[in-house]
Amino acid sequence: MIMQELTPPQRLLLTEILRRLLEITNRKYQEVERDLAKRWAGYWGEIALANYVKELPQDKYYIFHDLQLQIHGIYFQIDTLLLSQNYILIIEAKNISGTLVFDNVFKQLIRIHKDGTEESFEDPRVQCERLQSLLRRWMVKNGCKLLPIDTLVFLKSTNTILKTNSADNADFNKVCKGRDLFNKIEKLEQRYNQVKVNNETIIQMGKLLLSQQSPKPINILEEYKLTAKDIRSGVCCPIETCRFIPMNYKRGKWNCPACHTTSNDAHLEALGDHFYLIKPTMTNIECRNFLHLPTYDTSQKILFKLNLPTTGKTKSRLYYLSPKKVTPCVL
Ligand SMILES: [Zn+2]
């Protein structure tokens, strides 16, 4: 049974918004664009994994995607967690193509590109060990019955070539490609063939995992050492092939000077961008500046219409944006 569906990760959404709102000439633009491509690739890996685990017996496994937990201030995220009466399985998805060498000396994963250049990553098996240990501590702290926890690294691309620099084939016991996932899970089922807890306990544990989620706060501007000044303000044209910034506000409508599209609510996306990238509150003047509105009154009308919670009065009044009120849509 799927307990938590896969949704685009917050970091991917934020990077997508950031890329859209940075000038191409910004010193960080290239880096943001590179990271964005990697994050999309990672997400495609998670989607592939989610499609495979859907095929598992639904009455046997409680499936959670993108679980975000915290213990003693340490945040950790699990791509996919399978909870059963016999054991728990953590699966980390990777979408790295090419030839991959698992370096057992330095515990790193080396990707060899076609032109012979090399790129190193942290060994995903080491990442899994960390998650395993954190989840165990989390279970102890939350008074859960201790089930055995095992891990798997899932590689999306079946064309990936796996190598190791040790003679031991056991290196790949915890790594699988594509549909090999099912063989690995079958072996784990043989290994953990004892029922450890009843179904009710598993349901309780599942509810606890969902209720105790604690996503790590992300300040994407700070991560790239950028400030609000680096962000292009103004309302973005909603037409996918245009996306011109800024649209002009005339007689209650947004007009795109590039493609002449008009819109009644294109400002919602800009308010969402402000909420996610800069801060979740706005004064009337900040709204006027960010949306490039002609007057204080138009800005007030727009904010008033949204029926947002407020504090303070007149010019210092703070409007509290919320994800429900503004559209962070980037996909
Ligand atoms: Zn346009």
Side-chain angles (χ1 to χ4, degrees):
M1 189 191 296
I2 296 177
M3 301 288 281
Q4 180 157 276
E5 296 276 358
L6 181 64
T7 51
Q10 187 76 348
R11 190 175 296 281
L12 168 66
L13 294 179
L14 291 175
T15 317
E16 186 72 70
I17 299 174
L18 181 60
R19 198 264 311 252
R20 171 160 51 79
L21 296 186
L22 278 185
E23 294 284 0
I24 294 181
T25 50
N26 188 288
R27 69 194 194 286
K28 292 284 181 174
Y29 186 86
Q30 304 282 338
E31 185 184 340
V32 170
E33 201 167 47
R34 268 197 308 273
D35 289 350
L36 185 60
K38 279 185 200 162
R39 283 166 196 163
W40 269 112
Y43 184 49
W44 296 130
E46 286 185 49
I47 290 174
L49 172 60
N51 284 333
Y52 281 120
V53 297
K54 267 185 205 158
E55 293 182 33
L56 290 169
Q58 296 289 301
D59 54 343
K60 201 166 183 180
Y61 290 106
Y62 292 93
I63 302 162
F64 302 80
H65 295 293
D66 194 24
L67 262 185
Q68 306 197 47
L69 302 167
Q70 191 235 104
I71 177 155
H72 305 310
I74 304 167
Y75 292 92
F76 59 108
Q77 182 266 347
I78 297 173
D79 286 349
T80 296
L81 183 133
L82 305 185
L83 180 60
S84 75
Q85 287 175 252
N86 300 35
Y87 75 113
I88 293 174
L89 181 60
I90 292 171
I91 316 177
E92 279 300 286
K94 296 287 163 201
N95 187 6
I96 314 170
S97 53
T99 300
L100 302 181
V101 182
F102 284 82
D103 173 359
N104 286 305
V105 182
F106 297 108
K107 294 285 177 198
Q108 58 181 343
L109 179 63
I110 301 163
R111 173 201 212 167
I112 304 171
H113 293 275
K114 279 180 186 159
D115 63 2
T117 53
E118 293 184 356
E119 190 183 354
S120 81
F121 301 84
E122 188 188 10
D123 188 332
R125 294 171 305 175
V126 176
Q127 290 176 2
C128 278
E129 280 165 20
R130 173 180 175 267
L131 294 174
Q132 189 178 24
S133 143
L134 287 168
L135 181 63
R136 190 170 291 123
R137 282 167 63 187
W138 184 92
M139 288 172 71
V140 171
K141 184 175 171 258
N142 285 282
C144 297
K145 287 252 167 68
L146 278 181
L147 280 161
I149 305 173
D150 217 317
T151 65
L152 261 183
V153 175
F154 165 84
L155 293 161
K156 174 183 176 277
S157 174
T158 45
N159 297 326
T160 307
I161 299 162
L162 300 181
K163 292 182 177 174
T164 169
N165 61 1
S166 75
D168 191 357
N169 269 342
D171 279 345
F172 295 138
N173 280 349
K174 289 182 182 292
V175 181
C176 62
K177 290 193 285 184
R179 295 199 77 81
D180 181 39
L181 175 74
F182 298 111
N183 300 326
K184 288 287 195 295
I185 290 179
E186 209 177 297
K187 278 187 188 150
L188 288 166
E189 284 175 354
Q190 285 162 11
R191 184 169 171 198
Y192 303 108
N193 57 5
Q194 302 267 313
V195 170
K196 300 277 183 189
V197 291
N198 62 26
N199 195 41
E200 217 162 88
T201 309
I202 291 299
I203 291 170
Q204 274 173 9
M205 205 186 285
K207 283 182 182 165
L208 194 66
L209 280 166
L210 291 175
S211 68
Q212 294 295 302
Q213 288 204 87
S214 173
K216 185 182 180 181
I218 304 172
N219 186 334
I220 203 91
L221 288 182
E222 210 171 272
E223 284 181 18
Y224 286 99
K225 298 191 169 53
L226 292 164
T227 67
K229 285 182 188 151
D230 292 292
I231 296 301
R232 284 198 289 168
S233 59
V235 170
C236 183
C237 173
I239 301 300
E240 207 46 59
T241 48
C242 177
R243 300 303 263 161
F244 182 85
I245 297 178
M247 292 181 95
N248 299 320
Y249 194 71
K250 271 181 212 152
R251 291 186 213 97
K253 275 191 191 307
W254 295 98
N255 299 278
C256 174
C259 73
H260 307 294
T261 291
T262 58
S263 162
N264 291 325
D265 59 4
H267 59 283
L268 294 179
E269 184 182 74
L271 292 175
D273 294 343
H274 187 280
F275 172 82
Y276 283 98
L277 287 192
I278 301 169
K279 56 182 178 150
T281 59
M282 254 188 174
T283 61
N284 185 319
I285 292 167
E286 283 168 342
C287 176
R288 194 179 108 186
N289 292 339
F290 197 72
L291 302 184
H292 297 200
L293 287 166
T295 63
Y296 178 89
D297 283 350
T298 1
S299 174
Q300 191 162 34
K301 250 186 215 166
I302 280 186
L303 285 168
F304 186 74
K305 252 192 180 173
L306 286 170
N307 199 19
L308 301 167
T310 59
T311 54
K313 278 184 180 163
T314 62
K315 285 191 176 174
S316 60
R317 177 173 290 160
L318 271 186
Y319 294 84
Y320 292 81
L321 301 169
S322 80
K324 281 179 194 156
K325 296 277 183 183
V326 291
T327 325
C329 179
V330 290
L331 300 172

